[in-house]
Amino acid sequence: MADKCQRLEADVAIAGAGPGGCTLARELSRKGKKVVLIEQGTNSRSFFGNPLGIISRMEKAPHLFPTKKTVEGYSVILGHGVGGGTLLYAGSAFLPGVDYWREFGIEFEQEMIDEAARETWYHMPPDEFIGQGTRRIWQAANEIGIPFEKVARHIDFSKCVANCDLCVMGCVPDAKWTAMEYADEAVKNGATLLTSTRVTDILVENGVAGGVKARGKGGEYIVNARVTVCACGGVHTAGLLQRAGIKEAGSWFTGDPTTFSFGFIREGQGNAREHCMSVGWHDEEHGVVFCAMAAPAVSWHAQFFQDEPLKYLARMHRYGRVLSVFEKVSDEGMGTCHPDGRISKSFTERDWSAFRYARQTAEKILTKAGCDPGDLHHANFVLGHPSSTVKVGVLLDTNLETQVKNLYCCDTSVFPKAPGRPPALTVVVLAKRLARRLEVLV
Ligand SMILES: Cc1cc2nc3c(=O)[nH]c(=O)nc-3n(C[C@H](O)[C@H](O)[C@H](O)COP(=O)(O)OP(=O)(O)OC[C@H]3O[C@@H](n4cnc5c(N)ncnc54)[C@H](O)[C@@H]3O)c2cc1C
């Protein structure tokens, strides 16, 4: 028997409910526009605060350590569910790089940045949220001339618990901002939210987009819309565009590769179970973000075991003594999202030189902070910011519209080069800017 096919009409159909899609849905629904927001994952706060909170909200692959991987074996972490990557993110808040975007013809209004920061709970951590191990790293960095300072976070500290390290597993007291906030508001404003429903195709006729086709728990859907927006994140937006005939989508791939460098102290408290990413440094000259942070226990054990199994077995009981810094390096975008879903990612000479610099800098900090210099470790790279697959200036104009009329993108795929900083707030600002354009078009 054929699946039932439901037909919906909308001003704007949005594929993907990460920060890009949810912000857009909220802004447009506030203006009375008819919005259909479609998300392949669920809309749920279940398992918040425990490792299942990560595992259940991550796109998985069928192997023992189930993160999605590139052909070369680097993990690519993709959020899955209403909220997208903000379900898994650590909540560090970096303002958009105004000069970065200006270079590609996009001007952000300061008022819009301020509004986005306020609404996403942008706050500096109060002193009581800086743990002992974190202070030790901060002080060591400053003593060797590395200007670590407090880093802002998408956190309402009046609801947060000092020394809690569970941000990435889902925040039980809802102190961490996620894009679910905007999705909830959009639904209250009358937007239709379809969950567990995957957009399979963009409807295109004579070079004009007219909505999407989707399939999910409610069967098959045809959503006819005056404007269609892909907000499926860096990887899946590229796939949808390829299927819509934009073959060059996915010809590049950046991921801001991240590595954790860590060592062990003999006495005192490490920073492993402390509030994370509260101090750090954005080294714009070398394109590296450093922050004091240890991977959450479940990821630390899994990653260390995969990277160095024998050394791991001898040190697995020492998580409480870990001092750890992460380094996020802005890479040059050599990579491909293939139409069959595979991702290839390679690094250039410049990327490798930036990695060496980042790791050596972290080693200096950790050694100064008291770690044994003969027992320092670097985790394999994780690609946490899949981006730049549908670049502004190449496949998108400065309004984020593709060559297919009325088809827009609004997520990290649009970044013209590696974000080089945690990008969630920038995505929110891009979506607010796009909403302002669309609200007069539809
Ligand atoms: C572990 C981790 C930590 C991070 N920490 C930070 C941080 O501290 N600060 C920061 O600013 N950023 C951080 N980030 C990055 C940030 O979360 C992402 O950059 C951001 O969420 C990207 O937003 P997006 O709208 O581009 O897409 P995403 O958040 O990727 O959302 C895309 C959504 O679309 C859905 N989708 C995909 N395909 C389809 C389809 N075909 N049909 C329907 N739905 C679909 C997905 O399920 C997903 O929910 C982190 C990311 C990770 C993984």
Side-chain angles (χ1 to χ4, degrees):
M1 199 174 74
D3 272 351
K4 62 177 178 171
C5 178
Q6 298 187 53
R7 287 183 180 272
L8 303 175
E9 300 293 324
D11 294 320
V12 183
I14 304 171
C22 292
T23 307
L24 202 53
R26 183 254 197 180
E27 297 294 317
L28 291 169
S29 60
R30 288 180 91 189
K31 299 285 175 188
K33 305 296 173 191
K34 204 166 169 197
V35 173
V36 176
L37 174 63
I38 306 153
E39 166 56 44
Q40 64 181 356
T42 58
N43 185 19
S44 149
R45 288 176 163 80
S46 57
F47 305 122
F48 268 21
N50 76 62
L52 278 179
I54 301 184
I55 294 163
S56 60
R57 291 183 175 80
M58 189 177 83
E59 205 168 304
K60 288 175 275 300
H63 29 69
L64 179 60
F65 300 103
T67 53
K68 197 173 172 69
K69 295 233 177 358
T70 67
V71 173
E72 299 76 13
Y74 302 113
S75 294
V76 182
I77 314 221
L78 300 175
H80 185 95
V82 174
T86 63
L87 297 169
L88 301 172
Y89 81 160
S92 72
F94 279 65
L95 296 169
V98 173
D99 293 337
Y100 169 119
W101 288 95
R102 186 169 292 140
E103 190 190 331
F104 296 93
I106 292 188
E107 284 290 336
F108 287 142
E109 286 173 23
Q110 190 56 44
E111 215 175 285
M112 201 176 265
I113 296 177
D114 293 345
E115 180 183 283
R118 197 172 53 248
E119 288 175 3
T120 58
W121 311 348
Y122 177 102
H123 295 113
M124 282 296 168
D127 288 346
E128 61 272 28
F129 286 84
I130 317 279
Q132 281 175 34
T134 304
R135 281 181 192 279
R136 198 162 164 162
I137 291 173
W138 186 3
Q139 188 180 346
N142 288 173
E143 280 172 8
I144 55 173
I146 297 173
F148 266 43
E149 55 186 4
K150 281 189 185 177
V151 171
R153 315 217 45 218
H154 292 292
I155 289 196
D156 175 351
F157 284 97
S158 68
K159 292 198 241 162
C160 189
V161 179
N163 272 328
C164 171
D165 67 338
L166 301 181
C167 295
V168 296
M169 298 187 195
C171 179
V172 177
D174 269 338
K176 181 183 85 166
W177 182 86
T178 73
M180 289 174 111
E181 302 287 331
Y182 278 160
D184 288 349
E185 215 183 309
V187 170
K188 277 189 201 132
N189 296 336
T192 301
L193 171 62
L194 302 177
T195 55
S196 304
T197 303
R198 192 161 173 275
V199 172
T200 53
D201 289 288
I202 310 291
L203 305 172
V204 182
E205 217 176 296
N206 300 326
V208 182
V212 300
K213 221 182 195 181
R215 179 183 283 273
K217 62 177 182 195
E220 202 165 326
Y221 293 88
I222 301 276
V223 183
N224 293 118
R226 293 166 69 185
V227 164
T228 307
V229 183
C230 284
C232 296
V235 172
H236 294 301
T237 281
L240 276 180
L241 261 56
Q242 286 164 353
R243 280 198 295 287
I246 304 178
K247 300 291 176 212
E248 305 89 332
S251 302
W252 319 269
F253 180 81
T254 67
D256 279 353
T258 299
T259 178
F260 286 92
S261 298
F262 58 91
F264 301 90
I265 44 175
R266 285 184 199 289
E267 286 176 0
Q269 183 182 309
N271 68 327
R273 295 197 180 93
E274 295 182 345
H275 194 79
C276 65
M277 292 187 78
S278 47
V279 302
W281 173 43
H282 186 184
D283 177 352
E284 298 204 41
E285 185 190 341
H286 294 93
V288 184
V289 172
F290 297 92
C291 273
M293 178 178 179
V298 61
S299 321
W300 182 83
H301 286 286
Q303 186 75 51
F304 196 9
F305 177 69
Q306 282 180 84
D307 294 342
E308 301 179 89
L310 292 179
K311 289 187 178 169
Y312 166 73
L313 290 174
R315 292 162 183 78
M316 57 190 279
H317 59 289
R318 299 180 69 194
Y319 183 63
R321 297 266 192 227
V322 161
L323 277 190
S324 174
V325 170
F326 89 57
E327 306 104 60
K328 206 174 264 310
V329 176
S330 171
D331 59 323
E332 286 202 306
M334 218 154 92
T336 311
C337 290
H338 302 278
D340 62 5
R342 286 173 310 125
I343 304 168
S344 307
K345 175 68 195 161
S346 43
F347 296 114
T348 64
E349 254 321 299
R350 188 228 149 254
D351 295 339
W352 286 112
S353 139
F355 298 150
R356 280 191 293 276
Y357 161 79
R359 286 180 162 177
Q360 283 162 6
T361 305
E363 285 180 359
K364 284 184 202 159
I365 298 170
L366 294 172
T367 305
K368 182 71 185 174
C371 295
D372 174 356
D375 194 14
L376 296 176
H377 305 266
H378 303 284
N380 199 4
F381 297 112
V382 170
L383 303 165
H385 301 162
S387 317
S388 297
T389 48
V390 187
K391 302 174 181 219
V392 161
V394 184
L395 296 182
L396 301 174
D397 66 17
T398 53
N399 292 318
L400 310 186
E401 190 171 12
T402 66
Q403 66 206 51
V404 175
K405 194 169 161 45
N406 295 341
L407 176 59
Y408 291 78
C409 297
C410 187
D411 52 29
T412 50
S413 68
V414 314
F415 281 59
K417 58 183 183 181
R421 68 184 73 202
L425 186 49
T426 304
V427 172
V428 170
V429 176
L430 283 166
K432 281 178 176 280
R433 181 175 173 276
L434 177 59
R436 193 173 289 175
R437 173 179 169 80
L438 296 185
E439 72 194 35
V440 293
L441 276 186
V442 296

